[in-house]
Amino acid sequence: MAAQSLLARFGRRCLPAAASRSAATLQQHQSALRAQTKVCGCYFSTSNCHNTKFYTDPVEAVKDIPNGSTLLVGGFGLCGIPENLIGALLKSGVKGITAVSNNAGVDNFGLGLLLQTKQIKRMVSSYVGENAEFERQYLCGELEVELTPQGTLAERIRAGGAGIPAFYTSTGYGTLVQEGGAPIKYNKDGSVALASEPREVREFGGRHYIMEKAITGDFALVKAWKSDRAGNIIFRKTARNFNQPMCKAARTTVVEVEEIVDVGSFAAEDIHVPKIYVHRLIKGDKYEKRIERLSVRKEGESESKQKKSGDNVRERIIRRAALEFEDGMYANLGIGIPLLASNFISPDITVHLQSENGVLGLGPYPLQNEVDPDLINAGKETVTVLPGASYFSSDESFAMIRGGHVDLTMLGAMQVSKYGDLANWMIPGKMVKGMGGAMDLVSSSRTKVVVTMEHSAKGNAHKILESCTLPITGKNCVDRIITEKAVFDVDQKNGLTLIEIWEGLSVDEIKKSTGASFVVSPKLEPMKQIST
């Protein structure tokens, strides 16, 4: 507006003063003014002028990506991945890639294909997941892996696109993320060749926060649903995930879409990413849209029956965990027992289920004819949504989580300490699944954190300990522990209090199977179970 106002004043000063000048002369001056406006319009811009360039061949769209590039690759699991652009990278043969992506697909699809051809040198991810080749290359020292909490990863990318060099977050304080020493690369003998650096720590309002640096890329490879011919794009359901913030955080953003429509086909206010962020665009030739975990229910089958409840131990935990839900609550549930507990939510209350991959208002598993590869939960299972649901990007999802807008987080654990430390993401040198979103989910002091797990590990090894022996996910973050034997409340200063015990067990038996001291509540009662 300032530029237009300046040009208008400039134009008025430059117009001929005499009213008797010919119409032709006036038209000449107006044409000159329009030409000046076009020149100055670019001059007043804050970035280089560009229009979205449309391609027909995905290889042409990525052929200038040089070896050693940093690529931001959208998607969550296999949902919303740029299939055609990944295929083009396979053909181009580019090597030495640093790939920034929440995960690396599976062994034979998505970024897993580039791992097989050894085109990726380093992964910056939150989750190794079910990609066995990813885990093997990492543990064998063939691949560098910088594991980053999922919400921190999303925010680092968002900050990069917004020109913010760094920020502070409570996520990861007291863990290897903050302390440094997390293995980035192993030697072939299993020793650590390269470890993460410690983070700067500052205190705000009595809480500790760590500094995280922004992430930017040389190129972003993004999957969207539709674009118009101007280059504006929209996403579909949970396929938005990391794609939206990645569009904004690279020097060159290459987007593939399923459909290109005329300008005006969708309203300006419905555009998810405006054309200024989209440099190259291609209509994908075909999409396989693999589903990582197909989960369905049968017609007339209740949600609680469509999943195997497992043995009595598992069901006992589930039925106790279901009592944690309250009417109107916003909750995030981990895969396994926490998610199964949602099957027992009373029909008399409403609980809004949030999933960190970008959906609020999760419903039951779909019928076979309702399956949609663009609609999954954080466990990468096919799902449905309830009326009033909404979709959003990964950075928005974790703003809800870190900001304390989610009332309850329920998740599993390998270990929990007497004072509420949680460990559930790795066994050094043996098992590395990554922290995923767990570090973010337990980072807000306003969110109640409930752990559901079996009381002991294999061989009756203690899982409730004076202090965790595995790398922790969060420090002093757990509020309640629910096992098949007991329920404990956890206080960051005073430790464990036994509040419920399974019928037939004694306090002495609980002490023998627990690796930490605890006090017994004067109101100790039998372990509750939700009625069905």
Side-chain angles (χ1 to χ4, degrees), residues 286-443:
K286 60 181 179 179
Y287 288 96
E288 186 174 339
K289 287 194 175 184
R290 285 194 197 178
I291 294 172
E292 207 162 335
R293 291 181 176 173
L294 178 62
S295 300
V296 296
R297 73 182 195 279
K298 294 180 180 178
E299 193 78 54
E301 185 177 46
S302 69
E303 181 70 7
S304 60
K305 290 182 180 179
Q306 69 86 32
K307 274 271 195 180
K308 291 182 179 179
S309 61
D311 56 24
N312 291 333
V313 168
R314 189 175 172 86
E315 186 168 340
R316 191 185 304 172
I317 302 170
I318 291 168
R319 288 179 177 274
R320 174 57 186 84
L323 292 170
E324 297 296 313
F325 299 122
E326 298 176 9
D327 191 29
M329 174 180 277
Y330 291 91
N332 183 291
L333 307 180
I335 59 174
I337 289 174
L339 191 58
L340 290 172
S342 67
N343 299 336
F344 294 90
I345 294 175
S346 168
D348 299 326
I349 66 173
T350 299
V351 177
H352 310 278
L353 299 182
Q354 195 259 16
S355 188
E356 58 263 37
N357 60 312
V359 58
L360 180 64
L362 284 175
Y365 293 116
L367 299 171
Q368 186 64 52
N369 64 353
E370 296 175 326
V371 169
D372 186 339
D374 288 337
L375 180 51
I376 63 170
N377 62 19
K380 305 175 185 70
E381 298 173 308
T382 49
V383 290
T384 60
V385 293
L386 301 175
S390 57
Y391 303 107
F392 33 85
S393 59
S394 294
D395 54 319
E396 181 72 29
S397 181
F398 282 96
M400 297 177 189
I401 291 165
R402 281 192 315 272
H405 305 287
V406 175
D407 302 301
L408 171 70
T409 286
M410 190 179 293
L411 69 175
M414 297 176 189
Q415 295 177 344
V416 181
S417 80
K418 177 179 180 178
Y419 298 103
D421 295 347
L422 167 70
N424 73 349
W425 70 282
M426 76 176 298
I427 301 173
K430 293 183 179 180
M431 188 279 289
V432 183
K433 294 300 181 186
M435 67 285 287
M439 286 190 180
D440 303 276
L441 285 163
V442 302
S443 67

Side-chain angles (χ1 to χ4, degrees), residues 22-37:
S22 68
T25 304
L26 181 61
Q27 287 177 347
Q28 289 174 354
H29 279 278
Q30 288 174 335
S31 296
L33 178 58
R34 281 194 294 271
Q36 290 168 338
T37 303

